[in-house]
Amino acid sequence: MLAEGKLKQLTQLIDGFSKEELIWMNGYLAGIAANGTRQDAGVIHTNEPKIARAKKITVLYGTETGNSKRIATTLASEGKKLGIRVKLNSLDQYRPEDLIAEEFLFLIVSTHGDGEPPASARSFYNYIHQTDTSLPDLKYSVLALGDLSYPQFCQTGIDIDERLQTLGAKAIIGLQKCDVDFDEEAKQWIHSVVNIKQTESSGPITKKDINLNGKSKTKKIYEGTIRSTINLNDKGSNKQTYHLEITSAEQIVYEPGDAMGIIPSNRKSMVDLIISLTGIDKDLIIETSKVTGRVEELLRNHLNICHLNIPTIRKYASITEHTIPDIRMDLVDLLLEYPLADKSLFGQVINLLAPIAPRLYSISSSPAAHGDSEIHLTVSRHSFHVNEDQRFGLCSDFLGELAAGTSLQFYIHKNRSFRLPESQLDVIMIGPGTGIAPFRAFLSERDAMGASGRNWLFFGDQHFSTDFLYQSELQNFSHTGVLSKISLAFSRDQPEKKYVQHKILEQGNELFQWINSGAYLYICGTKDPNSIDIENALLKVFEDHGKLSREESKNFLVMLENENRLIKDVY
Amino acid sequence: MTTPKKLSPVERIKTESHGLRGTLKESLLDEITGSLREDDQSLIKLHGMYQQDDRDRREERTAKKLEWLYSYMVRLRLPGGFMTSAQWQSLHHIAGEHSTGVIKITTRQTIQLHGIIKSHLKPTLKAFDLQGLDSIAACGDVNRNVICSAHPNQSPAHKEIFQYAEKISLMTLPKTRAYYEIWLDEEQLADRNEDDPLYQDRYLPRKFKIAIAIPPNNDVDVFTNDIGLIAVVENNQLKGFNIAVGGGLGTTHGNEQTYPRLGTLIGSLDTEEKILKAVYEVITIQRDYGDRSDRKLARLKYTLDRIGVDAFKKELEHRCGFTLDTVRPFEFTDRKDFYGWQPGPDGKWHYTLFVENGRVLDDENVKLKTALYEIAKTDKVNFRFTGNQNVILSDIDDSDKDTIDLLLEQYALIQHTSQAGPVRKNAMACVAFNTCPLALAEAQRYLPSLISKIEPLLAKYNLQEEEISVRMTGCPNGCARPYAAEIGFVGTAYGRYNLHIGGDKLGERLNTKFKESLDESQILETLNELFAIFKNEKSGNETFGDFSHRKWISKN
Ligand code: SRM
Ligand SMILES: Cc1cc2nc3c(=O)[nH]c(=O)nc-3n(C[C@H](O)[C@H](O)[C@H](O)COP(=O)(O)OP(=O)(O)OC[C@H]3O[C@@H](n4cnc5c(N)ncnc54)[C@H](O)[C@@H]3O)c2cc1C
Ligand SMILES: Cc1cc2nc3c(=O)[nH]c(=O)nc-3n(C[C@H](O)[C@H](O)[C@H](O)COP(=O)(O)O)c2cc1C
Ligand code: SF4
C-alpha cells in the first residue's frame, strides 16, 4: 500500500524500536487514523536541553487515581521547556537504593485508604522507613495531595517529608499540602521548583509560605433526596447490591467516571448503646479540636466510632489504664470489654475520636442520559465477620437502608483520569461486581451522545440468575448496538470457579486486536483480588497474542498506562 | 375444495430447522440472556425441553433490572416409565446439581426436572447420557413418551407387552442427529443420511401420544391417547392388541371447536409386524391430513372427526396393505395403582408408593427423596413410574424384600402411603404454577389442601372410603386428564375452577362441565350438596361418577 520510498522511510524509522514500542506505535497510529489529529499523550520528549547550565532533577510520583502523576508530568515538561534534564518515574518503578545518588528530588504523592500511601508508593514508603542510609546530599521537596474531608489529611506526604528529613535530606521547599482543588497550589509549587533549578541556586531557600492548611476552598456539598433504592440481587444471592437514585433540586456538576463522596452517620443503636454504657448526658455540649456539639449529635454524625485505629486504641488504653492489645475495634466493643472507671473520662475519650471519613462510590449515571439533577450509585453491602459475628460496613449498610424521600448530603469526587476517550475510539471496560458502576455511566453517556466507538464490557459476579447487575439494561444496550460485545463470567455457576480474567484469556486474540487498533482499556472494581488477576491476564494476552516476552509485556502495560490508554479505578 | 390455509408459524420453524438444529448452538452461547432465540424456543421442545420462567418472580425481577428468571424443564423419554436403580441414583444427583432438586413424576410415566438454567443444560443432558437416558422427542410435534400399564403383576405377559413401548418409541424416533450434536458435542458429519420417512422435514402437525393398556387395569387412561393399544391376553399369552384412535383431552376456554374426546376402537391386530405397521401408518395419516394451519385443531381427534372414522379406517388399511380384525372383547375393572406390596407372576415383589402429584422431594413430614435415594443405593430395585404419578419399587427378590421394607419403614413411607385417604391417593394434579406458562390457576400446589377440605365433607356423609377420582388442572389443556375424572377441576382464573362431574371410574366416559368458575368456598358448598344427595340416593355400589351422570348430566 505504501510507495516504495515511503516504505523505506518507515523501515528506517522503525529500525531499532523494540517490539512493545512497535505495538504501542500501532495503537498510536490507529488513534491518529481515527482522529485525524496527532496525540501528544505518551510521547516522551528527549530533545537535548538548550540551556547547558541546566541541572538534572528527578521527579517521582505516587498515585492511585492519576492526580499526582498529572502534576509530575506537568512539572517534567515545564522543566524541560526550561532546559532542565528531568528523570520522571512512578515510585513503584523507581529503585529506592538510587536515592543516595540523587541530588534534586521532587516527590508528588497522595494519601489513600485510612491515611495510607497509594499502592504504588508503598514499597518506597516502606523502604525509606526501614533504611538507615543517610541522605545528606539530597535536596528535595514533597507535594502532598489529599482531601480535607479525611481525618488524616495528606498523611503520606507528611510521613515521607518527615522521614527524608530524619535521614538528613534537606527540604529546599517546605512540604506543600493540597486539598482536592489542588490546581493553584500545584502550579505555584512547580513554579518554585523550576525556578530553583534555573538560578542553579542549590543553597537553602526560604520556603514561600504557600501552606494552605485551613484556607481550603471547601468543596460543594449537595443536598440530595433518595428517589429509590433497589437491591439488584435476586432472592437466593449471597450479595446485596443497591441501585440508588438520588435527585437534587440544583444542577449536579459531574462527569461519567467521577465518584460521589458521602459521610455516613453512625448507627443509632450503637450511639444509644455508647451513651447508656458510659452514662453520659446525651445533651452535654462537648468541644473537640474539630467540632463542637451535643454528645449525641457528635457521636451520630461527626465522629468515627467504628474500627478505631491503633493509635486511638493505645490512647484509650492509657486514659482508662487498661492493658489493651493492638487490635482495631469499634468503640462500643472497647467500652464493653474495657469499661471506663468513671463517666467523666468519656469527655477525654470523645476527644480521641477522628471525624467520620467519607466513602466514595463510583457514579453509575451519566448527565447526558439521566439529566443533571439526578445521580445513581451502585453500592454493594459490605459484609465481614468480627469473631464469628456478621457485621456490615457502615456506609454501604447505611445507604442500603435509606428509604425513598430521605435526604442525603454528598459531594462530587472528581476523577480526572477516568474519562471516556474521544467518541470514535473503542473502549474495553473490565468491571466485575460493583466495578460495573462507572461503565453503566460510560455506556449511558456514549448512548446518549451517539458515540461511534465500539464498546466491550467484561462483567462477572457469582451467579448469572441472581447477580447479573443491570442485566436488562445491558441487554438493551446490546440490542441497540451500543454494547458491541459483552463477556461474562459467573464464578459459581459451574464446578470450577470462573472469573473475568478467564474470559480475558479466552478472548485474548480479539482483545489484543482491539487494543492494537487503539482501544482504551478501563479496569474498575475491588483491588483484591480482581484487579491484580486482571492485570496478570492482560500480560498473558500480550505475551500470547502480541508475541511478547514477559518483560516486554510488562513494558507494554506500563506504556499503555503512561499513555492513559489503560486506566484503573480500583478500591 | 377449500383454498389452502396459511400454515401456522411453527411449521416454518420446523421445516427450516435443518433437522431440528435451528440456531440452538448460537442461542446456547449467547451469555447475556438465559432465554433462547424465539424459533429455538419451539425447536427445543422436540429435544425434550421447554423454556419457562418463574412466573411468581416476574414483577420483582423486572424491578431489579433482571430479565425474567428463565430456566428449562427437561422431560425424559422413558418408554413404559422404567428406570434402574443406578439411573435413579444419578437422576437424584443431577436434580440436586442442576435443577430445583424436585423430581417430578408426570402423568405419562416419566420424569421432569425444572429450573435448569441455560448454562446447565448441556451438563444435565450429558449426565443423563452417561446413564443411557435421553429426552429426545419427549415433547414437541412428534410421538411422545409411549406409556404402558406399569405393574408387572398385571399379567404374565407384562414383560412382552411392555417391550412394545420401547419398540414403538424407537420406531418413531426422529432420525436427525441434532440432539447428539447440540447437547452431547457429537461432531456434525456433512454426508450423514438423515432422511426421515416418517416425519420428513415437517414433523407432525401436533403432539402425538400412544398408550398401551393391559386389562383389567386402565391405569394409563388408554382412551385419552391418539393411539390406544389394549392388550389381548388369553391363557397368559399375548394374542394381539385392540386399537383405538383419536383420543385427546386438550380444550381451549371459549373455543367451541375444541373438545376432549375418547379414542374410538377401530379393530384389532395379531402380529408384531402388523401392530407396528398400523401404529406407523396412523401416524403418517395424521402427518398428511392433520391441520397445519390451526394448532388448536391439529390433533388426530379433529383429523379423525373431519375425515370420518370409516374413511380413516379405510385409508389406514390401504396404507397398511392389510385389513384390521374386529375388536376383541376386553374388560377394564380398575384405573388405579395398587398400593403397597404385591407379588409378581415371576415371584418378584413390587411396592407401589404414593407420591402426591408425583413430586419427589424432602419435606418436613416425609424425606421421600432421601428415602428413594437410599433405596436406589441398595441396587435391589427397579423404578417404574405409573400414569397416576406414583412409583413402583419393582422386581425385588424375595430375599431382598426385608431390606427394602426396612428402609420403607425407616423413612415412614409405609405409613405415608397407608395413611393417605382413598380420594387423595387417587387424585392427580398437573404442574401449573409457577413454571407452566399456560397456567391460569394453581393445581399441584393447591389440590393437596383442597382435598384436606373435601375429606371432612365426605366423612360427614360417611363416604370417606369411596375411591372417587379427583383431578385438577390449572387450565383446560387437561394434563392431569381432568375430563376423564369423576370430579374434575379445570382452572379458569387464579383461584377459580370449572367443576366437571359425571365421568366414570374407568376412563370410558368423559365428565361434563357442571358449574363454572367456582372459588374454594363455592366448590366446597357445591360438593357438600352433591355428596348429601349422593349419600341418600345412590343405589348399591353405584360410584359417584355414575350417580352424578345419571342424576345431573344425562337428564339434561
Ligand atoms: C407434566 C405434565 C403434567 C403433570 O403434572 O404430570 C404436563 C405438563 C405440561 N403440559 Fe401437558 N402435561 C402432561 C400430560 C398431559 C396430558 C395427559 C396425558 O397425556 O396423558 C394431556 C392431555 C392429553 C392430551 O394430550 O390431549 C396434556 C395436554 C397438554 C396440552 C393440550 C394439548 C391439546 O391437544 O390441546 C398442552 C398445551 C399444548 O400442547 O399446546 C400441554 C402442555 C403442557 C406444558 C408443557 C405447558 C407448555 O406447553 O408450555 C406443561 C409443562 C408444565 C411444567 O412446568 O412442567 N399439555 N398434557 C404431563 C407430562 C406428561 C409427559 O410426561 O409427557
Ligand atoms: C474510588 C472509589 C470508588 C468506589 N466505588 C464503589 C462503588 O461503586 N460501589 C461500592 O459498593 N463501593 C465502592 N467503593 C468502596 C466504598 O467506598 C467503601 O469502601 C465500601 O462501601 C465499604 O465502606 P463501608 O462504610 O460500608 O465499610 P466500613 O465500615 O468502612 O468497613 C470497611 C472495612 O473495614 C473493616 N472493619 C470495619 N469495622 C470493623 C470492625 N469493627 N472490626 C474489624 N474490621 C472492621 C472491615 O474489613 C470492612 O470490610 C469505592 C471506593 C473508592 C475508593
Ligand atoms: C479511598 C480514598 C481514600 C482517601 N483517603 C485520604 C486520606 O486518608 N487522607 C487524605 O488526605 N486524602 C485522602 N484521599 C484523597 C486523595 O488523596 C486525593 O483524592 C488525591 O487527589 C488523590 O491523588 P492521586 O490521584 O494521585 O492518587 C483519599 C481518596 C480516596 C479515593
Ligand atoms: S393443564 Fe394447563 S396448567 Fe396444567 S400443566 Fe397442563 S398446560 Fe399447564
Side-chain angles (χ1 to χ4, degrees), chain B residues 430-433 436-441 443 472-480:
Chain B
C430 72
V431 178
F433 284 102
C436 179
L438 309 175
L440 305 169
M472 172 179 277
T473 56
C475 86
N477 282 323
C479 297

Side-chain angles (χ1 to χ4, degrees), chain B residues 52 104 106-107 112 114 207 209 249 299 435 479 481:
Chain B
Q52 306 184 316
K104 162 82 181 177
T106 74
T107 55
Q112 286 183 181
H114 290 91
K207 58 174 64 164
K209 299 178 174 179
L249 297 182
R299 289 290 291 273
T435 52
C479 297
R481 301 187 289 271

Side-chain angles (χ1 to χ4, degrees), chain B residues 45 50 52 73 75 104-112 114 138 144-145 147 206-207 209 220 224-226 247-251 296 299 301-302 357 389 429-432 435-438 444 477-481:
Chain B
K45 296 183 187 175
Y50 285 82
Q52 306 184 316
M73 176 266 274
R75 183 186 285 167
K104 162 82 181 177
I105 305 170
T106 74
T107 55
R108 293 190 71 77
Q109 292 186 307
T110 189
I111 290 299
Q112 286 183 181
H114 290 91
R144 303 286 188 86
N145 197 39
I147 61 176
R206 203 63 165 91
K207 58 174 64 164
K209 299 178 174 179
V220 292
T224 63
N225 288 263
D226 296 85
L249 297 182
T251 69
K296 299 261 182 241
R299 289 290 291 273
K301 59 184 175 183
Y302 304 112
N357 303 320
Q389 304 170 314
C430 72
V431 178
T435 52
C436 179
L438 309 175
Q444 70 182 14
N477 282 323
C479 297
R481 301 187 289 271

Side-chain angles (χ1 to χ4, degrees), chain A residues 191-255:
Chain A
H191 183 76
S192 340
V193 170
V194 294
N195 280 332
I196 285 167
K197 287 315 299 168
Q198 270 199 314
T199 58
E200 290 199 332
S201 125
S202 53
I205 277 251
T206 39
K207 184 193 106 188
K208 267 212 232 141
D209 193 11
I210 44 174
N211 194 341
L212 58 99
N213 234 347
K215 95 164 214 236
S216 152
K217 295 164 238 152
T218 47
K219 39 175 123 59
K220 168 137 188 66
I221 302 288
Y222 291 94
E223 296 288 338
T225 308
I226 304 289
R227 184 166 69 192
S228 61
T229 310
I230 45 174
N231 176 7
L232 295 170
N233 299 101
D234 202 9
K235 262 208 290 231
S237 171
N238 298 322
K239 301 194 171 178
Q240 282 154 292
T241 313
Y242 305 103
H243 172 75
L244 268 86
E245 299 192 355
I246 300 157
T247 55
S248 166
E250 59 183 321
Q251 186 199 15
I252 309 167
V253 182
Y254 76 98
E255 285 177 66

Side-chain angles (χ1 to χ4, degrees), chain B residues 75-92:
Chain B
R75 183 186 285 167
L76 291 179
R77 182 180 67 91
L78 213 59
F82 178 89
M83 200 181 254
T84 63
S85 277
Q87 289 174 330
W88 181 274
Q89 287 174 55
S90 46
L91 170 67
H92 176 97

